[in-house]
Amino acid sequence: NGSGTLFTLMRSGLTVAGSWQMVGNRLVFTPASGLVDGLFNVSATLVDNQGNTGSVFHSTFTVDRVAPTVPVVNPVSTPTTISLQTITGQKEANTAIFRDGTQAVGLSGAVSWSFGVSLVNGINIFTFTARDAAGNESGATNAVIFYDDVAPGPVAVTAQVSGVGTQITLGWSDYDELANGGDIATYTIFQANGPFTQVNQATAVGTRNVGQKSYTVTGLVRNQAQHYAVMARDTTGLANSNVTSLAAAPVDTVAPPN
């Protein structure tokens, strides 16, 4: 008996305007205007055609159309030579964390989160969002990690020996920094009295930064050969200690002054 039944929908203690009607065996409420966000209380007392009154029905539901705040990603280790990394951060309570559209951390009341990722060589970009129980999704935040487990290749060195007779200029202008990982940080120049194939068999006499492909060794003895090699090191600290040394002796080609 729809006419005798009592229906109420309330929010914050105020009755929500609208109409109730029976549709088959369902009770349908149509609000006079769109429902605003918040907690709603529903109560109904059903009365049948004989006037019998049922017990009072109570229920609640929440309207939520507000997206969670963007999750925070804590600083990551980059560049790195470790292929597994745990990304951590903060999130709004009662949300889940999604990575690239797939749930990574389940919905919970916690405000911190963590998620383990596997890295591939090169730049790894992970996009994280927060999603609440109503399906509202936050804006995205990214974590970018550069992973490299390959040391730069060997450096082929040439020597310009002509000059004042006490110095030579080493060069490696043909070394392709991009082809050797694109993440060169420094070059270390090594010198020894005899041939060597490992840098620990020689003495480091200087360094150059990425893009600097020459180095002048001074204080040498005219026509006396020394052996030289250059080792490239990348931003993750990887380097190939195997080298092929080059013998070079300074030659005096500068005429004395009159």
Side-chain angles (χ1 to χ4, degrees):
N1 180 2
S3 61
T5 298
L6 301 175
F7 315 108
T8 306
L9 177 63
M10 303 187 72
R11 177 183 179 276
S12 300
L14 301 176
T15 300
V16 178
S19 61
W20 295 87
Q21 65 183 62
M22 296 296 299
V23 178
N25 61 351
R26 294 184 302 135
L27 181 60
V28 177
F29 176 76
T30 304
S33 59
L35 299 178
V36 298
D37 284 10
L39 177 67
F40 292 81
N41 293 278
V42 180
S43 64
T45 304
L46 301 180
V47 180
D48 64 19
N49 291 326
Q50 283 70 45
N52 299 309
T53 302
S55 58
V56 178
F57 167 81
H58 290 290
S59 186
T60 62
F61 66 90
T62 300
V63 174
D64 178 11
R65 289 166 292 194
V66 178
T69 56
V70 177
V72 174
V73 174
N74 293 331
V76 295
S77 297
T78 184
T80 181
T81 60
I82 301 173
S83 63
L84 298 177
Q85 189 163 152
T86 299
I87 299 176
T88 63
Q90 290 77 50
K91 68 180 183 68
E92 187 176 307
N94 302 313
T95 61
I97 294 295
F98 281 71
R99 172 207 152 185
D100 300 321
T102 300
Q103 183 171 299
V105 179
L107 190 146
S108 73
V111 295
S112 61
W113 61 274
S114 64
F115 181 68
V117 295
S118 297
L119 306 176
V120 297
N121 265 300
I123 297 175
N124 295 258
I125 302 175
F126 303 100
T127 301
F128 294 97
T129 59
R131 190 179 297 178
D132 63 21
N136 301 306
E137 191 162 16
S138 73
T141 186
N142 291 334
V144 181
I145 304 173
F146 183 81
Y147 169 61
D148 180 12
D149 65 348
V150 179
V155 181
V157 183
T158 61
Q160 175 59 48
V161 299
S162 300
V164 297
T166 58
Q167 65 183 42
I168 64 171
T169 298
L170 303 173
W172 52 97
S173 59
D174 290 337
Y175 190 72
D176 191 333
E177 294 179 339
L178 184 61
N180 283 278
D183 61 339
I184 301 298
T186 59
Y187 298 98
T188 304
I189 297 86
F190 292 89
Q191 179 182 347
N193 293 328
F196 60 95
T197 57
Q198 291 285 323
V199 296
N200 61 7
Q201 300 167 340
T203 301
V205 295
T207 59
R208 300 296 278 167
N209 292 325
V210 59
Q212 300 175 329
K213 299 182 180 180
S214 66
Y215 182 82
T216 299
V217 184
T218 60
L220 301 175
V221 178
R222 183 182 297 111
N223 298 323
Q224 182 173 312
Q226 292 283 298
H227 295 255
Y228 303 93
V230 174
M231 181 184 72
R233 186 180 301 276
D234 66 21
T235 55
T236 66
L238 292 174
N240 183 357
S241 62
N242 299 305
V243 295
T244 301
S245 63
L246 170 74
V251 177
D252 185 358
T253 58
V254 177
N258 294 327

